């Protein structure tokens, strides 16, 4: 018999709705034709990886030296850890050394490894909503509790809500910027205020919750917006990230964890993450891809292609009369369901599907009454979805 909790997870309607939708998209495309189905369900980047990445793959594949496919330290190859430290030095603006880094099997594993390291049973992780669907599952993996705190109307951080949620059981605060699903980049001001609140709480209580910054979309921003640094503002801070989105290699499962070099618990934290990488069964991040990103981490896709798609999609949504949050980064638009549906995003998602548009509802992201559109799809799909969105948006609930 499989565990009842897992049974519930794989059979409940809401469970992994996005993945199910991805599968449903394939079925609908086989039935109606590729160009008739508008699949905006999964954040699967469709730009080709940069040449530097493909060249590094070719070059490293030629290596036939003895032991080059062997185990390495659970934290990863020295050369890869050093390259990630160089990257973080650039992004965080303070000197980061390789002993702050543990390589991971993508951002998902990085988050799991950090949670395994930090969360004691029944401890809490504060997460501003809306948030990436799988956070709930990841926290549950370690018997932790996700504490949702609302963001402001424009999806910025509400520092007072976070302050009010802090308590002696708070192991961490987890933020994601640019955000999936809203595309919001939390401002310098918001990050400063959040770090001040965490410092104040730590000074008073003696426990400094970790600030975990999930940043797989850091490089994908629009209108010259930048994601603020945290290492200069709060010592108990950690970056978890991957190359899935910025280098368009999500299937290759490569990412890393980087702790603030000034974290007083740095050695324990990195020791914990190295141990967790092993005992969660990852053992180490894929060795081949560690070597690839050590050489090509600074490459870029042409993110202006996403900016163009964002603008095309905004035009489609404006035409349909749908309200949405203007994305500053990543490749998602978070959209309000039409008025007659109220909070019932599931009902509107069904109407979208009848019009052959696939988008997950907001409930899974912790925000009912909204739905997410992922625009890393070709321009034609966005342009051709115009009539379908218009029709769906003008279908009154129950019609
Ligand atoms: C906010 C966020 N965090 C983490 C992940 C997981 O990324 P990875 O594929 O690197 O595990 C995703 C994937 O979509 C994401 O959107």
């Amino acid at each position: 018999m499989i565990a009842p909790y897992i049974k519930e997870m794989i059979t409940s309607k809401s469970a992994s709705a996005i993945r199910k939708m991805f599968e449903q998209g394939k079925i609908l495309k086989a039935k109606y034709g590729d160009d008739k189905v508008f699949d905006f369900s999964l954040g699967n980047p469709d730009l080709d990886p940069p040449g530097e990445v493909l060249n590094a793959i070719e070059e490293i594949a030629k290596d036939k030296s003895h032991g080059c496919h062997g185990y390495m330290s659970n934290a990863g190859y020295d050369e890869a850890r050093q390259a990630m430290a160089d990257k973080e030095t650039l992004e965080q603006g303070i000197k980061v050394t390789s002993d702050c880094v543990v390589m991971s099997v993508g951002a998902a594993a990085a988050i799991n490894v950090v949670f395994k390291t930090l969360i004691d049973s029944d401890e809490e992780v504060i997460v501003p909503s809306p948030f990436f669907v799988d956070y709930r599952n990841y926290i549950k993996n370690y018997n932790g509790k996700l504490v949702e705190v609302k963001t402001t109307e424009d999806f910025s951080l509400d520092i007072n809500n976070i302050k009010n949620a802090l308590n002696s059981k708070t192991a961490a605060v987890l933020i994601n910027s640019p955000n999936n699903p809203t595309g919001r980049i939390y401002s310098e001001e918001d990050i400063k205020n959040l770090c001040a609140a965490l410092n104040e709480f730590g000074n008073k209580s003696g426990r400094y919750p970790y600030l975990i910054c999930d940043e797989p979309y850091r490089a994908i921003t629009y209108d010259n917006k930048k994601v603020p640094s945290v290492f200069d503002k709060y010592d108990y801070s950690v970056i978890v990230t991957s190359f899935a989105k910025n280098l368009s290699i999500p299937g290759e499962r490569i990412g890393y964890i980087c702790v603030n070099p000034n974290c007083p618990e740095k050695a324990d934290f990195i020791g914990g993450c190295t141990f967790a990488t092993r005992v969660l069964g990852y053992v180490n991040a894929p060795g081949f891809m560690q070597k690839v990103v050590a050489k090509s981490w600074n490459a870029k896709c042409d993110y202006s292609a996403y900016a163009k798609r964002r603008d095309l999609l905004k035009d489609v949504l404006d035409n349909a009369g749908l309200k949405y949050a203007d994305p500053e980064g990543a490749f998602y638009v978070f959209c309000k369901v039409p008025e007659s549906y109220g909070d019932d995003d599931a009902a509107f998602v069904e109407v979208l599907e009848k019009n052959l548009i696939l988008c997950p509802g907001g409930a899974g992201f912790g925000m009912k009454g909204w739905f997410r559109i992922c625009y890393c799809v070709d321009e034609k799909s966005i342009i051709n979805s115009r009539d379908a969105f218009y029709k769906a948006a003008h279908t009154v609930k129950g019609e």
Side-chain angles (χ1 to χ4, degrees):
M1 183 175 109
I2 68 167
Y5 159 67
I6 295 294
K7 179 84 179 170
E8 188 200 323
M9 289 313 295
I10 60 177
T11 48
S12 81
K13 206 171 163 218
S14 62
S16 54
I18 298 176
R19 281 274 162 188
K20 276 187 197 153
M21 209 166 256
F22 184 61
E23 299 306 324
Q24 172 73 352
K26 285 198 254 176
I27 295 168
L28 289 176
K29 279 175 188 166
K31 193 166 165 190
Y32 296 103
D34 269 7
D35 58 332
K36 300 283 181 308
V37 179
F38 309 110
D39 186 355
F40 300 114
S41 59
L42 192 66
N44 200 3
D46 73 321
L47 301 180
D48 286 329
E52 293 95 319
V53 174
L54 301 176
N55 291 342
I57 288 173
E58 251 181 62
E59 189 187 318
I60 294 158
K62 284 188 193 136
D63 184 4
K64 293 197 169 43
S65 62
H66 179 71
C68 74
H69 298 295
Y71 287 124
M72 82 288 307
S73 152
N74 299 116
Y77 284 121
D78 290 343
E79 75 200 70
R81 296 174 74 193
Q82 182 58 55
M84 300 308 113
D86 293 345
K87 176 173 178 286
E88 287 302 327
T89 299
L90 273 181
E91 291 174 358
Q92 294 293 327
I94 67 171
K95 176 78 185 154
V96 179
T97 45
S98 62
D99 59 347
C100 299
V101 175
V102 173
M103 300 303 293
S104 72
V105 187
I111 300 167
N112 272 274
V113 164
V114 168
F115 283 166
K116 174 92 177 156
T117 304
L118 296 181
I119 301 176
D120 227 349
S121 270
D122 293 330
E123 286 200 326
E124 298 178 358
V125 179
I126 296 173
V127 185
S129 65
F131 51 80
F132 176 52
V133 184
D134 268 338
Y135 287 165
R136 216 186 286 282
N137 295 319
Y138 298 163
I139 292 169
K140 193 148 185 164
N141 283 344
Y142 310 100
N143 296 321
K145 192 175 151 207
L146 186 150
V147 177
E148 284 182 50
V149 294
K150 293 256 167 297
T151 47
T152 61
E153 213 159 87
D154 70 350
F155 300 121
S156 299
L157 292 177
D158 188 322
I159 308 298
N160 272 334
N161 282 350
I162 297 176
K163 269 188 187 170
N164 291 336
L166 289 167
N167 69 82
S168 60
K169 284 191 156 190
T170 308
V173 176
L174 170 60
I175 59 170
N176 163 227
S177 170
N179 183 265
N180 173 7
T182 65
R184 172 70 62 239
I185 296 174
Y186 300 137
S187 69
E188 176 78 26
E189 185 71 8
D190 274 3
I191 296 297
K192 258 192 202 152
N193 290 338
L194 172 62
C195 291
L198 293 174
N199 272 318
E200 191 188 315
F201 178 81
N203 292 341
K204 254 198 237 151
S205 69
R207 179 173 191 178
Y208 293 85
Y210 276 82
L211 173 60
I212 307 170
C213 305
D214 180 18
E215 301 194 340
Y217 304 99
R218 172 178 265 274
I220 306 171
T221 66
Y222 310 116
D223 310 319
N224 299 318
K225 291 245 159 63
K226 280 212 156 60
V227 178
S229 56
V230 286
F231 282 3
D232 53 338
K233 301 179 185 73
Y234 187 59
D235 289 350
Y236 288 79
S237 49
V238 179
I239 308 296
V240 286
T241 190
S242 77
F243 295 95
K245 314 290 178 174
N246 64 329
L247 297 185
S248 289
I249 50 172
E252 303 303 344
R253 313 305 308 138
I254 187 72
Y256 65 93
I257 299 156
C258 182
V259 71
N260 191 323
N262 297 320
C263 178
E265 298 173 354
K266 180 179 109 177
D268 273 0
F269 181 86
I270 290 296
C273 288
T274 306
F275 174 76
T277 296
R278 189 182 105 216
V279 300
L280 287 175
Y282 302 122
V283 182
N284 55 253
F288 185 88
M289 288 312 295
Q290 287 190 48
K291 293 178 193 169
V292 170
V293 295
K295 277 187 186 296
S296 59
W297 59 268
N298 212 6
K300 289 179 178 46
C301 294
D302 177 11
Y303 308 122
S304 67
Y306 291 137
K308 179 148 185 234
R309 293 165 195 198
R310 175 194 67 158
D311 294 341
L312 287 170
L313 182 60
K314 279 168 60 176
D315 186 50
V316 165
L317 298 176
D318 291 342
N319 176 65
L322 288 162
K323 300 269 173 292
Y324 55 88
D326 204 352
E328 298 171 305
F331 34 57
Y332 307 102
V333 172
F334 207 44
C335 229
K336 186 104 190 74
V337 301
E339 225 168 285
S340 67
Y341 294 81
D343 267 358
D344 195 356
D345 47 81
F348 188 63
V349 162
E350 270 179 34
V351 171
L352 287 171
E353 197 172 317
K354 279 192 191 130
N355 288 282
L356 300 182
I357 299 172
L358 300 174
C359 296
F365 300 96
M367 188 145 288
K368 286 183 179 165
W370 293 72
F371 66 100
R372 188 192 74 178
I373 307 171
C374 179
Y375 55 85
C376 47
V377 296
D378 61 33
E379 286 178 22
K380 239 180 32 206
S381 284
I382 298 171
I383 294 166
N384 293 344
S385 68
R386 194 176 183 89
D387 291 346
F389 266 114
Y390 186 89
K391 214 169 140 208
H394 288 81
T395 304
V396 173
K397 190 180 178 189
E399 251 182 16

